[in-house]
Structure formats: C-alpha cells, structure tokens
C-alpha cells in the first residue's frame, strides 16, 4: 500500500505543483489503484507517473471546487482510449453526477466501461468488501467537503509451517485450506483446525485523506489512530486569519489534528503557491513542532504506508 501524490498545490497550478490529486496504490492488496480528487491536468500527471489509469477501480471526490474536480471529464474519457474496460465507481458530494453527465453529454463522449456514480448523502460507512472498508465524514469548508478513512481489514496470520512439518503434513491443498482458517479432516480420521496453525492476525492499515477543511471535529473523528493522515496545509501560522476566512487549514492546524487523533504520520498537501522552494520548510517546521512525524508532499512523491510493529 503506497500513497502517490499527483498534485499537491492549492487553488491553481504553479510551476512546482499541480492541483490536487492523490493515488492510493493497492496493486499488492487488490490489483488496482484508488484516486482521490482529480484537479485539472491529473491525466497528464498520471502519464508522467507509474499510476495506471486503466487499473483505477474507484475515484473519490472530496468536494466540487474546480481544483479538485476539473480534470475528471478528460480522465474518464482517456480511460476509454487507454483500453480501460473494467467498471469504475465515483464517490462524491451531491452535484457530482450532474457535473459528469453534463460534461459527457455536451462533449459527445462515449465510455467503454461501466461508470457508477455514488453521491454521498450520509456520513459513516461508504464502502465495504472482504478486504477494505471506507468511512466518510463532513469537514468544514465553504462548500460541502468530505474526508475519507480507508481501513484495511486484518489479515490472517502466517501459517505455522514448522508445526505442520512436525506432524508430517505435506505441502499442498491442505495448507491452503488451513491458511483460510478452515477445518480439514485427514485420511486417518484426525482433524486439523486452521486456527491452531495460524499466527496472530496481521493488523490492517488505516489511511485518512481529507478534503479542504479548517480545523474541525470531523477531521479528528476520521484521523483517530490512523497510520497516515493526509491533511491540507494551505498556509503557515502567520496567515491563520486568512486561512480561517477561506475555511482552510494551516500547517499547525494539521499537526494539531494529527497529534490529538493519535495519527502516526502526517502528510501535508494543498500548499499555497506563495510557498515556493525552501519557503515550504516554514510549514514543515511549524508542523513538526507539534507532531514530529510530519512530511510535506510534493508532486510525484510517494509514501509507503507501514504496517504496525
């Protein structure tokens, strides 16, 4: 599981940062990518990255401001041109379906895959299958904005091969059944229970990606005990009043949320274009004063999500 930052700027693109988009690499876990936000130029950023658009499974839009949304029509049609034929699901606030349907209709676009659009009307569980679940909550911004909590479910522990070898159990289908926790009856009539041959479960990881927001309880709720929290940090602390007036966060706000929620790593993104070059270090230093494990994202930078322990 790896976060890959396609765009890390705020408001409008700059020479150093494109507008917001993040890929969550789940190739090892489910053979796909999930995308979060799709600012203008996202498909161009993808072309210069290892992300494979055709293997994108889900796309989460935090809110409907243009720097998080305007790249969507081009990305959807390009996915067809690149041979994408597997279903794609979009999640986002009310109005997302109207935006997408209008753009595709007016441009005469034809998609070669099934597109499902889910508009978020309630906080809580948004998606769940056997490997992951996604929870959402409202944040505080000028328009409705959501954050997403991606929870990897615990995995079965490692199979105790030495214990099976000691019993004279040969490698084969029996190992697979035990690994799945099943009960197996041997030819001699004895019974093996999968739970007796598995180590402790491997804890799943939690990745939290927030939309634009100022310091708020929704961010705290989603970020609790996260392995990684991705939080906007549009301004430094000396621009606190400006940040608040536009419903944005400072680097200190982001670090406070991470610290209070018990998040492990904080990654700050959505950086104002006023922080060019080494000026961005001001944001990092302010955050690290409150939360030592803080990072500033940059375009085409990746972060591997560690497992606990």
């Amino acid at each position: 599981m790896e976060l890959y930052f396609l765009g890390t700027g705020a408001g409008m693109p700059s020479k150093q940062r494109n507008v917001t988009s993040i890929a969550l690499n789940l190739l090892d876990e489910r053979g796909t990518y999930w995308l979060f936000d799709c600012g203008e130029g996202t498909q161009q950023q993808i072309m210069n990255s290892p992300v494979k658009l055709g293997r994108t499974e889900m796309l989460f839009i935090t809110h409907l401001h243009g720097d998080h949304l305007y790249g969507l029509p081009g990305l959807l049609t390009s996915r067809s041109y690149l041979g994408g034929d597997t279903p794609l699901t979009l999640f986002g606030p009310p109005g997302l379906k109207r935006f997408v349907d209008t753009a595709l209709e007016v441009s005469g676009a034809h998609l070669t895959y099934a597109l499902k659009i889910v508009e978020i009307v309630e906080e809580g569980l948004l998606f769940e299958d056997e490997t992951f679940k996604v929870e959402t909550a409202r944040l505080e911004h000028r328009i409705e904005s959501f954050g997403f909590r991606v929870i990897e479910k615990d995995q079965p522990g490692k199979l105790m091969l030495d214990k099976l070898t000691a019993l004279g159990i040969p490698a084969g289908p029996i190992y697979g059944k035990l690994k799945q926790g099943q009960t197996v009856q041997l030819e001699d009539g004895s019974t093996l229970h999968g739970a007796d041959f598995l180590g402790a479960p491997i804890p799943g990881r939690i990745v939290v990606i927030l939309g634009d927001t100022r310091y708020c309880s929704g961010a705290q709720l989603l970020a609790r005990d996260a392995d990684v929290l991705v939080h906007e940090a549009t301004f430094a602390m000396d621009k606190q009043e400006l940040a608040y007036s536009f419903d944005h966060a400072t680097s200190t706000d982001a670090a406070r949320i991470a610290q209070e929620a018990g998040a492990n790593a904080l990654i700050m993104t959505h950086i104002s274009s006023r922080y060019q070059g080494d000026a961005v270090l001001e944001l990092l230093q302010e955050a690290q004063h409150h939360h030592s494990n803080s990072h500033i994202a940059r375009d085409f930078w990746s972060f591997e999500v560690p497992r606990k322990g």
Side-chain angles (χ1 to χ4, degrees), residues 13 19 25 51 55 68 130 138 150 153 176 209 233 235 238 241 286:
V19 285
N25 181 342
V51 177
R55 300 185 74 172
H68 297 254
E130 65 277 4
R138 286 182 172 87
V150 179
K153 295 186 176 180
I209 299 174
F235 300 106
D238 64 347
E241 291 187 8
E286 288 184 353

Side-chain angles (χ1 to χ4, degrees), residues 86-100:
T86 55
L88 177 67
T89 303
L90 303 184
F91 297 92
L96 177 61
K97 187 176 190 307
R98 180 160 56 96
F99 174 84
V100 172

